[in-house]
Amino acid sequence: MTKRARIVGVGRYVPEHVMTNDDLEAIVDTSDEWITDRTGIRERRIAADHESTSSMGAEAARRALASAGLTGQDIDLVVCGTCTADHSFPAAATLIQHEIGAPGAAAFDVNAACNGFMSALSVATQFIASGQSTRVMVVGSEVYSRILDWTDRGTCVLFGDGAGAVIVEATPEGERGSVDALLLRSDGSQAGLLYANGPATPGDAAAREAKVVMNGAAVFKHAVVAMAEASAEVVAQAGYSVEDIDLVVPHQANRRIITALADRLGLPMEKVFLNLHKYGNTSSASIPIALAEAVAEGRLKAGDRVLLAAFGGGLSWGAMTLEWGGVRHPEAATADASIART
Ligand code: UT7
């Protein structure tokens, strides 16, 4: 019998160093006004030299454990959504597994660009549904600052670093919370619209330099249509109507994309969680960071119906509806000095 899966813990970690739009004016030909108007982003976090996808992911995971009142020993699978893992291998998830003290847990990364967390969460949901896993740590963590072309104003102003994590477990009989519907899609014919090369890219050494390349306008159009269609489909699959959704937690790429998505769905912006002004686009980390902050701010309560939607390079996109189960210690989700800046 398939089991229902629910989220019982959330956590997020963002690096201390804040890079503002004014700071970017000193690097490329841009302005605070342009970035704020076109994207809604005001600042982003940049990882320190000693930080990495796995170190940030492990910190977010520790906070998720604290918020759920669990330890690493309770976890039997770690899945990390990332496209900026510390190494080509081993997977960042294995380093996180070690850091959080989850001996014997299986661990692997999922790369679906900015749709990485949604893909990782979908994997976790299926492992729970099949009975293969009891409790899964799902992490989204990225250090885009290390793969950006800092001379390209069309991309370097958009992204930031950070990590988020959620814990997924089987819903006990008679208790609240469940992932109700999920959908993942991709279109590899559009891979050239948004990509970053890497150490195994064919060609000479220059071709292997990891730099984000993007056709922003084309990605923008695709993002709105794809996320709106996927969202409508999962809402229908779950048997809800759009009015039943209490909170939308979308991938935090661009406020204009999110506003257009809400318009298409017919949802007021009051029901949409936004924190991209503080962090920019943190790729796979954006939804779990937003979930942790939504919990810490009291925007999510047991029984709420939540819609998640993401898109990114691949192209790859997805949506999920879930009933919120509740987190035992919400204050632990974002427990660090940086939350004071909100
Ligand atoms: O997770 C997925 C990640 N990808 C995305 O989220 C990207 C989605 N796309 C976008 O968010 C938007 O397309 C951008 C924010 C990247 C760009 O906004 P836009 O309204 O599509 O602008 P545009 O690319 O059409 O450029 C308009 C103008 C151009 O100048 P001209 O040709 O009109 O003279 C650009 O050169 O804005 C210029 N421009 C900038 N100006 C100041 C582009 N980047 C900047 C910049 N500062 N940072």
Side-chain angles (χ1 to χ4, degrees), residues 76-301:
D76 56 18
L77 171 65
V78 180
V79 190
C80 181
T82 188
C83 52
T84 54
D86 311 15
H87 312 285
S88 289
F89 65 86
T94 58
L95 305 178
I96 295 168
Q97 177 256 359
H98 172 65
E99 281 295 314
I100 64 170
F108 51 83
D109 292 351
V110 171
N111 180 346
C114 297
N115 194 33
F117 173 76
M118 289 288 287
S119 303
L121 181 56
S122 301
V123 169
T125 301
Q126 301 309 314
F127 268 68
I128 297 288
S130 69
Q132 181 81 20
S133 293
T134 307
R135 218 174 260 121
V136 186
M137 178 67 75
V138 186
V139 180
S141 184
E142 305 275 13
V143 274
Y144 263 57
S145 63
R146 294 191 186 140
I147 61 165
L148 288 170
D149 175 354
W150 288 99
T151 66
D152 176 14
R153 67 179 183 173
T155 52
C156 75
V157 305
L158 302 175
F159 295 92
D161 302 336
V166 306
I167 298 170
V168 183
E169 69 174 26
T171 312
E173 208 52 54
E175 289 197 21
R176 291 204 110 134
S178 62
V179 170
D180 293 330
L182 65 89
L183 178 149
L184 294 174
R185 293 271 187 276
S186 66
D187 180 1
S189 75
Q190 304 301 310
L193 293 182
L194 176 51
Y195 64 91
N197 289 345
T201 299
D204 59 16
R208 295 190 187 112
E209 249 188 83
K211 296 274 185 271
V212 174
V213 179
M214 179 173 70
N215 178 336
V219 173
F220 189 112
K221 282 186 207 130
H222 180 274
V224 174
V225 174
M227 283 200 296
E229 284 178 5
S231 298
E233 206 169 320
V234 289
V235 168
Q237 262 181 41
Y240 311 158
S241 70
V242 166
E243 294 73 42
D244 297 326
I245 300 291
D246 296 295
L247 191 68
V248 185
V249 182
H251 172 44
Q252 307 282 313
N254 182 320
R255 192 184 52 209
R256 286 158 55 217
I257 292 175
I258 293 173
T259 309
L261 171 67
D263 272 358
R264 278 186 179 236
L265 292 174
L267 271 166
M269 283 303 283
E270 295 75 56
K271 286 190 170 184
V272 180
F273 190 82
L274 277 180
N275 65 358
L276 59 81
H277 55 290
K278 295 187 290 181
Y279 308 124
N281 179 347
T282 56
S283 187
S284 294
S286 89
I287 289 179
I289 289 175
L291 280 173
E293 293 199 348
V295 167
E297 291 172 18
R299 298 271 310 263
L300 277 173
K301 52 186 189 316

Side-chain angles (χ1 to χ4, degrees), residues 22 30 58 70 82 150 168 172 203 250 307:
D22 286 346
T30 191
L70 297 169
T82 188
W150 288 99
V168 183
L307 169 67

